[in-house]
């Protein structure tokens, strides 16, 4: 075990702890009146503008946060990640998702080998295959073009690609490239998800992409076997080779499943699932839908932020600033949650993706050396697009718990709408809220203001807003493939910065394993009870009682399962 020194033992941490008392004497109404301060808390890079002036910080706070970064050896840890060192120490792995979007001539080492040529070998294979499918030179078993794609995967094998797909669906360039095609994602093992994803599809024109690094993920492989049966029932078992491909590293199991290993697309153990959207996990299904040139722009946007993160000084470094501010809000100001509020419906799947990137990465209770943390790490992420969220949970954000907010806005709408006679365009109306909400949170409304407005006395307390609620704003120039890549990389690196400062391992996920292993025991019991009538044993009273109720109420399920596919 390495040194067990915790960041909370450092003088920089203790200085920030003491500094909280000074910050508690301030209010954002006063901080926002200082124009010079506000100007100093804005950063721009490659068209992306970050305004963090509505954070509860002073120049002294920021200086102390940079001292904390220094105490945590943040720059060294970033360098070690980019240099391919095995910073994921519990799994003895490098963390190199940045290599997935590196330029062809870049050099990124892992175990003494430049991995970039391997990355581009897979990307070139994806480009070649996706073009063959899209231009009709690769057809299905009956000779029909494959115009529909179902990607099967769960967690990191689906959330990131779904976010990018949803964001591209309304981009004019992507729409043109996707004409006549559709892409669906099957993740949940719930048969309802299967039914919804194959409804309206014809096996003759459907290509299934099975995404599983090991080809053993229980939910993914059951769904894959289900769709294999769906194809086989309609077209015969031999059709599987023309209608199913894989993203995996386990070629023997791919072949055993019935997929030609030549139609398997590789990725590497230095790619964590939640960081894999830029690998074949995301690039293959997205290229089949939108064409490789569109997806390559997405990769270039992410690469631009990678270079910014690696080389920019901390005071101008967007992911570093975001990460340090999150540490400040969580560990010093005590705010456990963060709201991600994109003012674009195209980003409706962004918060669900970042939930996994953030909470699976930083939901840890021990340091990277295995020492229990004497402070809280990680935050609860949630969010909805504006203005929908305003009519949902903003009440709590304005007058209940203090929850720091990320407001994400876009200058140019993917689909502008103007109505003659209206005061503003539809996008202006949306952005009016984007600009107003952060100020409403920061300034609030005082009883004195309400009295001047002649609000009845009995409503004064109900209509008072305390304000002093922190937020930050990110403004993107547009929402094309390049900008979507930028946004993804900003948040990926922000999460890494938090973990680097907290001294935890943001790149393993042992907490996912326990429930999965217990589910295996339950699966064996359900099988034994259904097929052999065995009584339930080895479980606590509560679980035994509920399982009995389930088995009794679902006794119509045959013990010798026949094949039954969805009937929608």
């Amino acid at each position: 075990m390495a040194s067990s020194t915790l960041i909370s033992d450092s003088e920089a941490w203790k200085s920030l702890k003491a500094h909280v008392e000074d910050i508690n004497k301030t209010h954002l109404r006063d901080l926002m009146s200082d124009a010079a301060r506000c100007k100093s808390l804005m950063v721009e890079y490659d068209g992306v503008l970050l305004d963090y002036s509505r954070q509860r910080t002073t120049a002294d706070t920021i200086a102390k946060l940079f001292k904390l970064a220094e105490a945590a050896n943040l720059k060294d840890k970033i360098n070690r990640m980019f240099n391919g060192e095995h910073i994921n120490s519990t799994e003895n792995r490098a963390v190199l998702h940045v290599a997935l979007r590196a330029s062809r001539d870049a050099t990124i080492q892992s175990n003494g080998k430049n991995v970039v040529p391997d990355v581009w070998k897979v990307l070139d294979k994806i480009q070649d295959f996706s073009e063959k499918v899209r231009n009709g030179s690769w057809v299905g078993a009956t000779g029909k073009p494959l115009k529909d794609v179902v990607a099967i995967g769960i967690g990191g094998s689906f959330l990131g690609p779904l976010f990018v797909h949803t964001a591209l669906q309304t981009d004019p360039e992507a729409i043109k490239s996707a004409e006549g095609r559709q892409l669906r994602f099957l993740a949940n093992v719930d048969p309802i998800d299967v039914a919804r994803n194959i409804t309206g599809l014809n096996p003759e024109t459907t290509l299934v992409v099975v995404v599983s690094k090991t080809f053993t993920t229980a939910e993914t492989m059951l769904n894959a076997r289900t769709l294999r049966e769906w194809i086989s029932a309609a077209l015969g078992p031999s059709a599987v080779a023309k209608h199913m491909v894989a993203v995996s590293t386990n070629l023997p199991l791919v072949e055993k499943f019935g997929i030609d290993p030549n139609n398997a697309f590789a990725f590497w153990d230095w790619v964590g699932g939640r960081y894999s959207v830029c690998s074949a996990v995301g690039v293959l299904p997205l290229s089949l839908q939108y064409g490789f040139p569109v997806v390559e722009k997405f990769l270039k946007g992410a690469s631009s932020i990678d270079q910014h993160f690696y080389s920019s000084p901390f005071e101008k470094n967007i992911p570093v600033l975001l990460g340090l501010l999150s540490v400040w809000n969580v560990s010093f100001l005590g705010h456990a949650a963060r709201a991600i509020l994109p003012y674009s419906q195209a980003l409706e799947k962004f918060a669900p993706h970042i939930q996994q990137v953030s909470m699976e990465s930083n939901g840890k209770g021990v340091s990277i050396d295995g020492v229990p943390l004497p402070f809280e790490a990680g935050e609860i992420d949630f969010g909805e697009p504006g203005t929908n969220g305003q009519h949902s949970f903003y009440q709590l954000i304005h007058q209940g718990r203090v929850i720091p907010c990320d407001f994400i806005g876009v200058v140019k709408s993917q689909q502008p709408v103007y109505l003659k006679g209206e005061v503003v365009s539809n996008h202006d109306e949306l952005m009016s809220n984007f600009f107003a909400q952060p100020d409403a949170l920061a300034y609030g409304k005082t009883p004195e203001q309400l009295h001047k407005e002649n609000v009845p006395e009995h409503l004064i307390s109900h209509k008072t807003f305390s304000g002093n609620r922190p937020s930050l704003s990110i403004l993107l120039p547009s929402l094309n493939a390049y900008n979507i890549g930028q946004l993804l990389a900003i948040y990926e690196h922000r999460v890494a910065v938090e973990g680097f400062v907290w001294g935890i391992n943001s790149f393993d996920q042992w907490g996912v394993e326990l429930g999965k292993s217990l589910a295996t025991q339950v699966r064996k019991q359900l099988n034994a009870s259904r097929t052999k009538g065995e009584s339930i044993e080895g479980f606590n009273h509560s679980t035994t009682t509920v399982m009995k109720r389930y088995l009794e109420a679902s006794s119509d399920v045959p013990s010798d399962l026949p094949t039954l596919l969805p009937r929608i």
Side-chain angles (χ1 to χ4, degrees):
M1 186 180 290
S3 166
S4 60
T5 302
L6 296 168
I7 188 63
S8 54
D9 294 332
S10 69
E11 289 304 315
W13 184 281
K14 293 171 184 175
S15 179
L16 277 161
K17 274 290 185 187
H19 179 63
V20 170
E21 190 176 335
D22 296 329
I23 290 299
N24 284 339
K25 296 173 185 174
T26 68
H27 195 289
L28 279 169
R29 291 185 202 116
D30 302 314
L31 295 175
M32 292 300 294
S33 67
D34 184 344
R37 171 191 169 275
C38 292
K39 184 179 179 181
S40 72
L41 302 182
M42 292 185 182
V43 176
E44 187 168 4
Y45 173 76
D46 196 14
V48 179
L49 177 65
L50 167 65
D51 174 7
Y52 61 102
S53 59
R54 293 176 189 81
Q55 291 287 305
R56 293 182 61 204
T57 60
T58 62
D60 198 20
T61 316
I62 302 301
K64 289 178 184 296
L65 286 170
F66 288 148
K67 286 286 188 185
L68 183 68
E70 188 178 323
N73 298 311
L74 177 58
K75 182 57 181 170
D76 178 61
K77 290 175 181 177
I78 294 170
N79 290 341
R80 290 178 63 210
M81 183 175 86
F82 276 80
N83 291 339
E85 295 186 34
H86 287 208
I87 62 170
N88 178 356
S89 55
T90 62
E91 297 178 305
N92 193 27
R93 292 175 180 172
V95 177
L96 280 178
H97 45 278
V98 294
L100 300 171
R101 54 255 187 158
S103 60
R104 196 183 288 269
D105 60 351
T107 300
I108 298 179
Q109 301 282 344
S110 177
N111 298 325
K113 177 188 176 184
N114 181 14
V115 300
V116 175
D118 289 342
V119 169
W120 275 94
K121 185 178 179 181
V122 175
L123 290 176
D124 289 338
K125 183 178 178 180
I126 290 172
Q127 181 173 16
D128 178 64
F129 177 74
S130 60
E131 285 178 357
K132 284 178 179 175
V133 172
R134 288 169 57 82
N135 67 25
S137 60
W138 175 294
V139 293
T142 62
K144 291 185 178 180
L146 300 174
K147 62 183 181 62
D148 306 312
V149 173
V150 179
I152 304 177
I154 198 164
S157 297
F158 126 86
L159 287 166
L162 177 62
F163 144 59
V164 179
H165 169 53
T166 307
L168 285 173
Q169 278 182 307
T170 39
D171 170 62
E173 181 187 14
I175 289 172
K176 190 174 180 181
S177 300
E179 195 170 344
R181 309 192 61 82
Q182 59 178 319
L183 171 61
R184 301 182 182 182
F185 291 90
L186 171 57
N188 201 330
V189 76
D190 186 338
I192 290 171
D193 204 17
V194 176
R196 287 178 173 175
N197 272 283
I198 64 175
T199 297
L201 295 186
N202 179 355
E204 290 184 281
T205 60
T206 301
L207 178 68
V208 176
V209 180
V210 184
V211 182
S212 174
K213 183 183 286 189
T214 62
F215 237 60
T216 58
T217 307
E219 302 98 325
T220 296
M221 296 319 299
L222 180 54
N223 280 336
R225 292 191 294 273
T226 303
L227 262 62
R228 181 179 63 184
E229 184 61 33
W230 176 68
I231 291 166
S232 298
L235 307 174
S238 62
V240 170
K242 293 294 277 182
H243 289 264
M244 298 187 82
V245 298
V247 177
S248 179
T249 56
N250 194 335
L251 294 184
L253 284 186
V254 168
E255 185 170 24
K256 186 178 179 182
F257 183 89
I259 294 174
D260 186 339
N262 292 320
N263 299 328
F265 298 82
F267 60 119
W268 305 269
D269 68 3
W270 41 258
V271 182
R274 55 194 175 276
Y275 298 97
S276 67
V277 62
C278 294
S279 73
V281 169
V283 173
L284 177 58
L286 293 167
S287 293
L288 287 163
Q289 178 69 6
Y290 298 107
F292 186 80
V294 169
V295 181
E296 189 173 14
K297 291 177 183 177
F298 161 73
L299 297 176
K300 286 181 177 177
S303 181
S304 168
I305 295 298
D306 293 342
Q307 297 311 307
H308 167 65
F309 176 53
Y310 180 66
S311 60
S312 293
F314 286 174
E315 62 269 17
K316 296 291 183 184
N317 194 312
I318 292 173
V320 167
L321 290 167
L322 291 175
L324 292 175
L325 290 167
S326 288
V327 170
W328 169 241
N329 284 321
V330 172
S331 298
F332 297 95
L333 297 184
H335 304 317
R338 172 176 65 195
I340 298 171
L341 310 171
Y343 276 66
S344 170
Q345 192 64 30
L347 294 175
E348 65 179 304
K349 295 298 182 181
F350 183 59
H353 175 48
I354 299 306
Q355 281 177 348
Q356 188 200 13
V357 173
S358 173
M359 292 197 280
E360 194 168 86
S361 294
N362 290 341
K364 309 291 168 64
V366 298
S367 75
I368 198 165
D369 303 319
V371 179
L373 298 178
F375 55 85
E376 297 289 348
E379 62 237 307
I380 303 160
D381 284 278
F382 70 98
E384 281 288 327
T387 56
N388 294 7
Q390 293 176 197
H391 295 268
S392 174
F393 50 78
Y394 277 39
Q395 168 63 45
L396 183 144
I397 290 174
H398 279 288
Q399 289 186 306
R401 297 174 181 271
V402 177
I403 298 176
C405 297
D406 293 357
F407 291 93
I408 303 168
V410 180
V411 174
K412 292 183 179 179
S413 175
Q414 291 177 329
Q415 298 290 327
V417 172
Y418 314 114
L419 295 181
K420 187 176 180 179
E422 293 289 339
V423 178
V424 292
S425 71
N426 293 40
H427 189 64
D428 281 348
E429 178 65 28
L430 174 73
M431 293 301 287
S432 295
N433 288 274
F434 168 81
F435 293 118
Q437 289 289 340
D439 278 344
L441 289 166
Y443 289 88
K445 200 159 193 177
T446 66
E448 292 75 22
Q449 289 172 304
L450 294 167
H451 279 119
K452 288 180 181 177
E453 294 172 7
N454 296 316
V455 172
E457 190 64 39
H458 70 284
L459 291 178
I460 294 292
S461 60
H462 296 282
K463 291 194 170 189
T464 296
F465 294 77
S466 64
N468 209 30
R469 292 163 184 256
S471 69
L472 56 85
S473 299
I474 297 172
L475 189 63
L476 302 172
S478 59
L479 200 58
N480 55 31
Y482 186 86
N483 304 134
I484 294 164
Q486 289 179 305
L487 186 62
L488 173 79
I490 285 170
Y491 273 76
E492 285 180 344
H493 295 320
R494 173 198 207 162
V495 167
V497 168
E498 293 173 65
F500 288 153
V501 172
W502 279 320
I504 61 179
N505 186 354
S506 300
F507 307 107
D508 63 9
Q509 57 284 325
W510 299 107
V512 178
E513 302 302 319
L514 178 58
K516 286 163 67 173
S517 64
L518 293 177
T520 299
Q521 298 172 32
V522 175
R523 187 185 305 120
K524 290 177 180 176
Q525 180 66 65
L526 290 176
N527 175 266
S529 296
R530 289 211 194 274
T531 60
K532 303 174 187 174
E534 290 185 9
S535 59
I536 297 172
E537 294 180 357
F539 298 91
N540 61 52
H541 176 78
S542 176
T543 303
T544 300
T545 302
V546 179
M547 283 174 65
K548 275 184 181 177
R549 173 68 63 88
Y550 173 72
L551 286 165
E552 289 166 1
S554 62
S555 59
D556 57 327
V557 175
S559 57
D560 185 15
L561 294 176
T563 294
L564 175 67
L565 294 171
R567 296 187 297 268
I568 290 181

